[in-house]
Amino acid sequence: MTHDYKRNGTTTLFAALNVLDGQVIGQCQQRHTHAEWLKFLKKIDRETPKDKTLHLIADNYATHKHPVVQEWLAKHPRFVMHFTPTSASWLNMVERFFRDITTERLRRGVFTSVPELITAIDQYIAHHNTDPKPFIWTKSARDILQKVIRANSRLSSKQNAALH
């Protein structure tokens, strides 16, 4: 940031990413409370086919587990929540999307108001969705699982050696 940088406000971007085709559902909110999270879940519900089961991966933020949210989710069983462990990496595709919107649209942008920032985010998502790209794993699931098993084995042997 330069010495004359002026912050004109912030927004919270909620984003749901379809890992099969790369489409994004996005919504900007003033805050990140259970009420805003619930609004976003309702938007996802409206904008996705009703016959699809939706697996959502979220961090362990208390907002995502609020009793009001849990009550809504209980009434909408097609939403299956998966929570990442604390300090765990998110799904790579999600991280890539946030990196891309930051570097391609937000980092060098000049926004004189929050509505202007939200418009830029909405336009980026709309443009992204004209030709979305799914994340393609370069390794097979078997290769990844074998690497995890080897890592766990080495970690266990080091821990056992440290105990003796």
Side-chain angles (χ1 to χ4, degrees), residues 59-70:
D59 60 13
N60 273 307
Y61 195 52
T63 292
H64 302 144
K65 297 179 173 183
H66 191 279
V68 174
V69 173
Q70 294 300 312

Side-chain angles (χ1 to χ4, degrees), residues 17 19 57 84 89-97 135 137:
L17 195 68
V19 296
I57 301 170
T84 61
S89 175
W90 275 55
L91 188 63
N92 288 343
M93 192 173 173
V94 173
E95 289 181 356
R96 292 176 117 183
F97 176 77
F135 181 79
W137 293 100

Side-chain angles (χ1 to χ4, degrees), residues 4-155:
D4 58 348
Y5 171 80
K6 180 182 179 217
R7 185 178 216 156
N8 292 304
T10 61
T11 188
T12 297
L13 171 60
F14 291 88
L17 195 68
N18 182 335
V19 296
L20 297 177
D21 66 10
Q23 288 272 344
V24 173
I25 297 173
Q27 185 176 48
C28 290
Q29 298 279 348
Q30 283 187 316
R31 299 170 50 205
H32 191 149
T33 69
H34 74 278
E36 284 85 9
W37 176 240
L38 197 52
K39 284 180 195 175
F40 184 58
L41 291 175
K42 291 174 182 178
K43 179 180 174 99
I44 294 170
D45 193 36
R46 285 190 308 273
E47 295 185 16
T48 55
K50 299 295 181 217
D51 63 329
K52 300 290 181 191
T53 299
L54 306 174
H55 291 267
L56 278 67
I57 301 170
D59 60 13
N60 273 307
Y61 195 52
T63 292
H64 302 144
K65 297 179 173 183
H66 191 279
V68 174
V69 173
Q70 294 300 312
E71 184 179 315
W72 186 87
L73 288 168
K75 294 176 185 171
H76 296 82
R78 75 187 194 112
F79 283 78
V80 180
M81 296 299 300
H82 303 276
F83 297 100
T84 61
T86 304
S87 302
S89 175
W90 275 55
L91 188 63
N92 288 343
M93 192 173 173
V94 173
E95 289 181 356
R96 292 176 117 183
F97 176 77
F98 279 107
R99 178 204 61 201
D100 292 346
I101 193 171
T102 299
T103 58
E104 295 173 13
R105 184 62 186 102
L106 301 178
R107 180 161 293 137
R108 297 215 180 337
V110 176
F111 309 103
T112 59
S113 67
V114 173
E116 193 176 324
L117 171 63
I118 291 170
T119 298
I121 291 169
D122 290 344
Q123 287 172 346
Y124 180 88
I125 292 171
H127 176 72
H128 169 86
N129 285 339
T130 61
D131 187 26
K133 303 272 190 291
F135 181 79
I136 310 274
W137 293 100
T138 57
K139 297 280 186 182
S140 70
R142 181 179 174 188
D143 290 339
I144 294 167
L145 287 175
Q146 286 177 341
K147 188 174 183 178
V148 169
I149 290 166
R150 280 193 315 271
N152 281 333
S153 175
R154 286 186 188 140
L155 182 60

